[in-house]
Amino acid sequence: MNTSNIFRTWVDVSRTLWRISRNHNDPTRPKGLIYAQTFWDGLLVGTESGSDRDEIIEWFKNIFGMRWTQDQHGPTILLEARGDELSHLPVRWEELDQEEVKAWQNIPFQPRFSPSSTTRFSCSPCPAPAPFPRGQPPVLAFHSFKGGVGRTLCALATTLAYSDHGKKILLVDADFEAPGISFLFKERTPDPDFSFSDLLIMLHADSNPEGSYALASAKGAIAGQRLGNVFVLPSFRDLEDSISLEIRPEHLVTSTAHPPFFLTDALSRLGKELNVDLVIIDLRAGLSELSAPFIFDPRIKRILVANPSWQAIKGTRLLIQEIGNTLNVNQWPVDSLPALILNQLPGAMMPKMGEAGRGELLNVMEESINATFEQAFSQNRRQSAVESPSTTHTQDTDDLLLTSAEEGISRVYLSYNEPLAMLPKDWEETMETIRQSLFPTKIWDMLQLWLPATRIPSPATKKGSQSGKTLDDRRTLLRDFADRLVTAEGSSQNSLEKIGFLSIHPLISLAQDHAAKLPMVVSIGAKGAGKTYSFLNMARTEKWANFVKKVKSDLDCNIEAPILPVLWSKNANTDEMIRLQNGCRDLLALQNTVSGPLFELPRELATFQTQSHDLYVWRDFWADAIARSLGIPKTDSINPFETLLRHLRKNNLNLIAIIDGLEEIFPEFTTSEAQKMALRALIQEIPNWLKTLPGAPLGIIIFIRQDMVLHVIPQNRTQFTDRYKNYALRWTWKEALELAAWVCDKSEATNDLWDQEFSNFTESDLMTRMRPLWGIKLGGDDTNEAKSNTWVLSVLSDLRGRIQARDVVRFLSLAARDSVGNTKTTDRLLIPAAIRSAIVPCSQKKVDEIGEENTPLKEVFNKIQGGNDSQTQIFSPCTFENLAAIGLNQEQVGLMEENGIIFHDTSEKKYHFPEIFRHGLAVERPVGARPRVLSLMRQARNSDRR
């Protein structure tokens, strides 16, 4: 209990008791305490006959502390005022018999913001309102904590968004104190036949308990108030009547003749009578009892509108808390979580197209709302009802469940728009001004994410697209194809051609930027980003013009330079690479001019790296290695690279050398100075040097792992990586989704999931497009679990938003494997249980592969995985001291950070392990850590957008 409150008046006592009463799980609450009624002259406490009054008194003492006193007249609460009448609140008692107790317990719930003077401590749970019957339209309510934030504007923009998509709307102005829509409608229709206030009066007087007569009257009158696809219900017929509202919404709430949410039922039924698709209500701003019946109805779709002012954000958080508290107190399920429109954002705060991330202030603002959102609706987190008996993994993945609340509030950002600051008085002109602002389009995109039922069916689900194939056939096709693709680097050329090639943004940039000039590029990517896969696809095209055409078919390229594989990964087929080298030799007409022995670069490197630490000696070595790969010999009198250059210039030829597999040749790059020097000469000196050669007939593309760059470039590292950032094999979340869609179509498990326009889709389009693969949400599409797109990308990425292609493909293979044989879930390829279970083996395989390839990280992994007791077990999050306790030093912790294995949250000074590494490293998650991880995932996603 909080005893630090200042009690100045009897109202403070009433509010305190009301707040306490909302915690139904309070184990200290005494039995027999029924109610407390607070008046200006005393507190009346109702107790059940035979209850222990001493126990109840002790409970009150714990609340009020030393303010609870006893005098000759009985208990008294001391207040902060002067004079007996103001400084003493006498406490009186009333004993109730069983009938009276039952009557108090059965008083119906009343939705309200302000506390009642009567606080009930013993009441029967109020049953949740029945869902709207099938055929009745949903009700969408717009509300804001403060006025002036553009709430009415957003309601009108949403009305336009729906009506322009052919939907019919009933638009209700429920702001009786400042009826903005009504004034606008009055200019268009000076003498409306029916108003919302008329409906309230009729419903209150209707002898029919369902208000059927009132609704029949309303239907006939409103029919003449239709503007296009919109029926308008103003607050009053005559706006001068707004000074006197005889029947208010709360009157219907407090009426014992009607259930608590009778009014929203009536509006939805009226919408059905008018045959509309949606009822939109513009509510009064603030914590107004005019708005409470709509805001607290769990069936209502609520959109909260705020601007970036401190008052609006804090008030919005308060509204979210109040909605969550009401649902929690009554133990009601949430049919729809609130959404948010952040309006009037200055240009500096708006997310920029084509740029990563958003302003820090906007991030902080949104995360404060998300934190409140998670807390208010945390009670609604639950296991999906759709499970599969075929799941083979038994690990507890409950910590991977993600609800809509934990995923973050659905929101849309709207910038400050000067033409909207003073709208015209004419209805049509106003609506056209709003339409031109593009606000309806932005809001429509958010609504498709938030209300999936409004979406247009995906083309991937069209009739006949999978004729002749059973669901299990298609799951098997996806499993087998994805499994082959994971190991495609070692496949034959014919096999790889059948698989195909997805052109992602970095490769498109590489092709576009070098359609007319030779590339001098270092392509940086993490393990599993597709370096070797890209290298092989490039090598197998044999000519640069062929590669450019393969990446982007509409590009014209006049560079016919042969492509020479100089060094390759051990996963590649050596015989094929030698064949491609010989083919390049033929294209350059070198077969009759030189005839050197087979050049084995790995063997030469193993010998040479022990002999030299000189940067320029290494530069010359790499230059000669390119020439020797073509069979040009090295002798005391012949410089192979000079011979190659003379030949290229003499015959007006070009050549592009490509290199991969450096991590296998230089496994000790973190400690060996010779290996660091060799790598630095290759990625830094060679490209710079080649650019200076007269005529520059030789280009080069080097595929290298990101952590190697960080270790071998000691100075100006950021400048180096920025130079090649457009070609870095870094997968955004959208590109990862595109890869998943592409794999599904290539496997023939789906049709039309992917097309050339995929990268241009909005977030709502992507959710629709991916529906045949894993549904809209991880559970059923009407549950409050997270959207499937978000969940999958969250668990596969590190906490900086980075995701690897191999993990996506392997995840599809594993999830498809565990979906085969399931007959319960038939609306998607991958069932929820299989999706959840796939992350564990995916993580284990990723850790194993990195350990095999990266010796320094293997040592780190062994130490983390070695913890098997309370002293050495690592949890996420953890401190540096926890990591040091198992023998990790600062350099090793830094190495993990560089590779995305841990993320240091500076605000709480702890390290978090992303899910894609946590399971493979056997790192546990303690109670209470999960919400912060989800917050970091959201922030990572925001920083990933471009």
Side-chain angles (χ1 to χ4, degrees):
M1 302 295 181
N2 184 5
T3 59
S4 63
N5 290 333
I6 296 178
F7 294 90
R8 294 196 179 278
T9 68
W10 63 272
V11 174
D12 293 325
V13 174
S14 175
R15 287 173 177 162
T16 298
L17 294 175
W18 180 73
R19 282 196 298 267
I20 292 171
S21 72
R22 302 178 80 182
N23 182 9
H24 287 302
N25 298 320
D26 180 7
T28 67
R29 182 180 299 173
K31 294 181 180 179
L33 177 61
I34 306 301
Y35 73 84
Q37 286 184 302
T38 315
F39 306 99
W40 68 270
D41 61 347
L43 175 67
L44 178 62
V45 179
T47 62
E48 187 175 1
S49 178
S51 59
D52 187 341
R53 184 170 294 183
D54 290 338
E55 181 187 3
I56 295 173
I57 288 174
E58 285 301 315
W59 188 75
F60 276 110
K61 283 182 178 180
N62 193 30
I63 295 172
F64 296 104
M66 297 182 66
R67 294 182 182 278
W68 183 278
T69 64
Q70 184 88 19
D71 59 22
Q72 66 272 22
H73 302 294
T76 297
I77 299 174
L78 299 179
L79 303 176
E80 295 285 336
R82 296 181 180 275
D84 277 350
E85 292 183 353
L86 297 178
S87 63
H88 292 75
L89 190 69
V91 179
R92 300 188 297 273
W93 304 90
E94 180 181 28
E95 287 199 354
L96 309 173
D97 59 30
Q98 289 301 313
E99 297 243 349
E100 291 172 316
V101 169
K102 188 174 181 180
W104 273 98
Q105 289 175 335
N106 292 329
I107 294 175
F109 168 77
Q110 295 181 2
R112 57 189 302 153
F113 283 110
S114 60
S116 169
S117 60
T118 300
T119 299
R120 292 186 295 149
F121 294 102
S122 178
C123 55
S124 301
C126 178
F132 293 136
R134 184 179 294 274
Q136 283 186 204
V139 178
L140 176 56
F142 282 81
H143 189 255
S144 61
F145 175 77
K146 68 187 292 289
V149 299
R151 181 197 68 253
T152 299
L153 171 67
C154 291
L156 289 171
T158 303
T159 300
L160 268 177
Y162 275 96
S163 61
D164 285 353
H165 279 82
K167 308 292 184 180
K168 286 190 287 188
I169 308 297
L170 172 58
L171 179 61
V172 182
D173 190 350
D175 187 350
F176 292 105
E177 296 179 5
I181 292 174
S182 301
F183 274 99
L184 184 63
F185 184 65
K186 183 75 171 177
E187 293 295 322
R188 175 63 174 77
T189 308
D191 298 307
D193 294 326
F194 199 80
S195 69
F196 191 28
S197 60
D198 293 326
L199 180 63
L200 293 179
I201 294 168
M202 287 185 175
L203 287 171
H204 193 262
D206 198 336
S207 60
N208 184 288
E210 294 185 350
S212 297
Y213 299 127
L215 294 178
S217 301
K219 176 185 177 183
I222 297 174
Q225 297 175 189
R226 179 174 179 175
L227 303 177
N229 284 333
V230 183
F231 294 92
V232 182
L233 189 59
S235 54
F236 300 95
R237 275 177 287 142
D238 188 339
L239 293 176
E240 293 180 0
D241 295 339
S242 62
I243 60 174
S244 59
L245 184 60
E246 289 81 3
I247 302 298
R248 304 164 69 88
E250 59 266 35
H251 292 155
L252 291 175
V253 170
T254 57
S255 169
T256 57
H258 303 296
F261 300 111
F262 170 69
L263 184 53
T264 46
D265 275 314
L267 284 173
S268 181
R269 289 174 56 213
L270 177 60
K272 181 181 180 182
E273 292 294 321
L274 295 169
N275 195 31
V276 302
D277 298 287
L278 181 66
V279 178
I280 295 179
I281 307 175
D282 185 30
L283 298 174
R284 178 64 187 151
L287 305 182
S288 168
E289 301 309 335
L290 295 170
S291 302
F294 303 98
I295 286 296
F296 291 128
D297 189 334
R299 303 165 300 175
I300 291 291
K301 316 296 182 183
R302 291 151 292 212
I303 294 185
L304 307 179
V305 184
N307 64 12
S309 68
W310 175 84
Q311 300 97 322
I313 297 301
K314 190 169 181 64
T316 300
R317 293 173 60 189
L318 177 60
L319 281 170
I320 292 171
Q321 286 174 335
E322 289 297 314
I323 296 170
N325 286 342
T326 298
L327 296 171
N328 193 27
V329 163
N330 292 288
Q331 300 177 357
W332 290 342
V334 182
D335 289 345
S336 180
L337 294 167
L340 173 69
I341 294 179
L342 275 175
N343 190 28
Q344 301 173 344
L345 293 174
M349 291 183 67
M350 284 291 291
K352 300 294 191 301
M353 291 297 294
E355 294 184 15
R358 304 168 300 172
E360 182 63 26
L361 182 58
L362 185 57
N363 263 330
V364 171
M365 190 181 298
E366 185 180 308
E367 281 308 311
S368 70
I369 293 174
N370 277 326
T372 304
F373 197 63
E374 290 174 22
Q375 184 180 18
F377 297 101
S378 61
Q379 74 276 10
N380 292 290
R381 178 172 177 259
R382 63 175 179 82
Q383 178 77 23
S384 169
V386 187
E387 293 297 342
S388 166
S390 68
T391 302
T392 57
H393 301 288
T394 59
Q395 289 93 335
D396 180 11
T397 55
D398 182 66
D399 59 317
L400 295 181
L401 294 180
L402 181 65
T403 66
S404 295
E406 292 161 324
E407 182 186 353
I409 193 167
S410 297
R411 76 283 186 203
V412 64
Y413 307 112
L414 300 177
S415 62
Y416 175 76
N417 188 296
E418 190 170 350
L420 299 179
M422 190 171 68
L423 290 169
K425 66 178 183 178
D426 180 75
W427 175 276
E428 280 79 11
E429 192 176 347
T430 291
M431 298 303 264
E432 184 58 30
T433 302
I434 296 173
R435 185 181 285 111
Q436 293 298 324
S437 72
L438 300 182
F439 281 15
T441 301
K442 292 181 179 180
I443 292 174
W444 176 257
D445 284 341
M446 182 269 284
L447 287 170
Q448 307 322 296
L449 293 168
W450 185 55
L451 296 175
T454 67
R455 260 193 311 293
I456 300 168
S458 166
T461 61
K462 64 186 182 183
K463 269 190 176 181
S465 62
Q466 294 298 333
S467 57
K469 296 175 186 171
T470 68
L471 184 58
D472 252 14
D473 289 340
R474 295 191 290 124
R475 287 168 173 167
T476 302
L477 284 170
L478 177 58
R479 177 199 66 191
D480 295 344
F481 180 83
D483 191 53
R484 288 203 315 274
L485 193 57
V486 170
T487 56
E489 293 166 352
S491 304
S492 66
Q493 181 172 359
N494 291 337
S495 175
L496 196 62
E497 286 175 350
K498 291 178 182 178
I499 288 175
F501 180 61
L502 176 65
S503 302
I504 61 173
H505 179 75
L507 296 180
I508 292 173
S509 295
L510 179 64
Q512 286 178 331
D513 294 352
H514 300 93
K517 65 178 181 179
L518 291 173
M520 308 283 184
V521 168
V522 178
S523 181
I524 305 169
K527 169 73 175 177
K531 298 186 303 300
T532 297
Y533 186 59
S534 300
F535 170 90
L536 291 176
N537 274 282
M538 188 179 292
R540 286 161 176 167
T541 61
E542 299 188 4
K543 291 183 179 181
W544 183 247
N546 296 344
F547 175 75
V548 170
K549 209 68 170 175
K550 185 174 185 178
V551 170
K552 196 164 175 58
S553 58
D554 59 348
L555 271 179
D556 291 325
C557 178
N558 55 12
I559 298 179
E560 292 293 330
I563 297 174
L564 171 68
V566 176
L567 180 67
W568 48 87
S569 166
K570 64 181 180 182
N571 292 323
N573 185 295
T574 298
D575 291 339
E576 181 189 5
M577 292 300 103
I578 293 174
R579 181 181 61 77
L580 290 172
Q581 284 183 339
N582 290 331
C584 183
R585 188 177 178 180
D586 292 341
L587 289 171
L588 294 174
L590 279 168
Q591 65 272 22
N592 295 322
T593 56
V594 294
S595 57
L598 180 66
F599 175 64
E600 297 183 54
L601 180 54
R603 179 180 296 178
E604 293 280 338
L605 280 167
T607 303
F608 192 77
Q609 67 178 278
T610 61
Q611 300 175 1
S612 178
H613 291 67
D614 187 284
L615 185 67
Y616 297 104
V617 171
W618 271 111
R619 185 194 67 182
D620 293 341
F621 173 88
W622 287 114
D624 285 342
I626 295 171
R628 295 178 68 188
S629 297
L630 290 166
I632 300 175
K634 180 180 182 181
T635 66
D636 293 338
S637 60
I638 298 177
N639 182 304
F641 186 68
E642 287 293 334
T643 302
L644 174 61
L645 283 181
R646 283 197 300 270
H647 179 79
L648 294 175
R649 288 169 181 154
K650 177 182 178 182
N651 296 282
N652 196 27
L653 296 171
N654 292 311
L655 174 67
I656 297 173
I658 59 174
I659 291 175
D660 183 38
L662 293 167
E663 60 273 15
E664 298 157 6
I665 300 297
F666 301 112
E668 299 172 0
F669 65 90
T670 59
T671 56
S672 168
E673 288 302 319
Q675 292 190 11
K676 288 181 183 180
M677 195 65 66
L679 288 166
R680 193 180 309 156
L682 174 63
I683 67 175
Q684 198 169 34
E685 291 301 318
I686 284 289
N688 292 338
W689 182 50
L690 291 180
K691 289 178 184 178
T692 66
L693 298 178
L698 181 64
I700 190 167
I701 300 173
I702 303 161
F703 294 92
I704 187 170
R705 220 168 58 197
Q706 183 173 350
D707 58 317
M708 300 183 81
V709 173
L710 295 175
H711 277 276
V712 304
I713 304 295
Q715 297 176 338
N716 300 322
R717 185 186 302 150
T718 301
Q719 182 180 351
F720 177 84
T721 55
D722 283 349
R723 181 189 306 171
Y724 302 113
K725 66 181 180 181
N726 291 331
Y727 320 119
L729 292 176
R730 177 181 180 271
W731 291 74
T732 66
W733 280 32
K734 178 176 279 192
E735 287 166 344
L737 283 179
E738 184 172 5
L739 175 62
W742 180 84
V743 169
C744 287
D745 274 6
K746 286 293 181 179
S747 72
E748 299 183 358
T750 57
N751 285 348
D752 302 324
L753 209 63
W754 178 85
D755 61 35
Q756 296 288 348
E757 297 301 315
F758 195 96
S759 61
N760 297 323
F761 291 158
T762 65
E763 190 173 356
S764 59
D765 293 332
L766 291 175
M767 189 170 69
T768 305
R769 184 57 70 105
M770 302 302 286
R771 186 175 189 170
L773 175 60
W774 47 43
I776 297 295
K777 295 187 177 181
L778 199 58
D781 289 350
D782 58 348
T783 68
N784 278 320
E785 292 198 32
K787 293 184 280 291
S788 298
N789 287 3
T790 302
W791 190 93
V792 171
L793 297 177
S794 292
V795 299
L796 290 180
S797 66
D798 66 20
L799 294 177
R800 286 192 175 94
R802 299 177 300 199
I803 193 166
Q804 301 306 331
R806 186 179 300 170
D807 296 329
V808 174
V809 178
R810 178 177 285 128
F811 180 87
L812 291 174
S813 173
L814 293 168
R817 181 193 69 186
D818 286 347
S819 296
V820 173
N822 178 272
T823 57
K824 290 185 177 180
T825 305
T826 58
D827 65 336
R828 60 193 73 185
L829 282 174
L830 306 181
I831 65 172
I835 290 174
R836 291 194 191 98
S837 65
I839 184 60
V840 178
C842 196
S843 173
Q844 291 168 340
K845 189 66 176 175
K846 184 179 182 73
V847 169
D848 290 345
E849 286 177 346
I850 291 177
E852 290 172 5
E853 187 177 84
N854 193 317
T855 303
L857 279 176
K858 177 66 172 177
E859 181 183 346
V860 172
F861 291 170
N862 288 339
K863 290 181 179 180
I864 296 174
Q865 293 169 322
N868 53 15
D869 56 48
S870 59
Q871 300 299 317
T872 58
Q873 172 68 55
I874 293 296
F875 290 84
S876 178
C878 63
T879 64
F880 177 78
E881 288 71 23
N882 298 139
L883 297 172
I886 61 171
L888 297 180
N889 56 37
Q890 187 68 60
E891 183 180 353
Q892 290 173 317
V893 172
L895 183 62
M896 285 199 292
E897 282 192 88
E898 291 168 2
N899 285 273
I901 298 163
I902 56 174
F903 175 83
H904 187 239
D905 179 17
T906 55
S907 63
E908 60 177 359
K909 297 180 180 178
K910 288 185 178 179
Y911 293 94
H912 294 266
F913 287 79
E915 298 302 309
I916 190 61
F917 286 106
R918 184 175 72 81
H919 292 279
L921 292 172
V923 173
E924 299 294 330
R925 173 116 38 230
V927 176
R930 186 168 171 269
R932 182 57 184 149
V933 170
L934 299 176
S935 171
L936 291 169
M937 284 183 177
R938 284 196 303 269
Q939 293 178 45
R941 185 188 184 196
N942 291 333
S943 67
D944 179 64
R945 287 176 174 155
R946 46 171 157 152

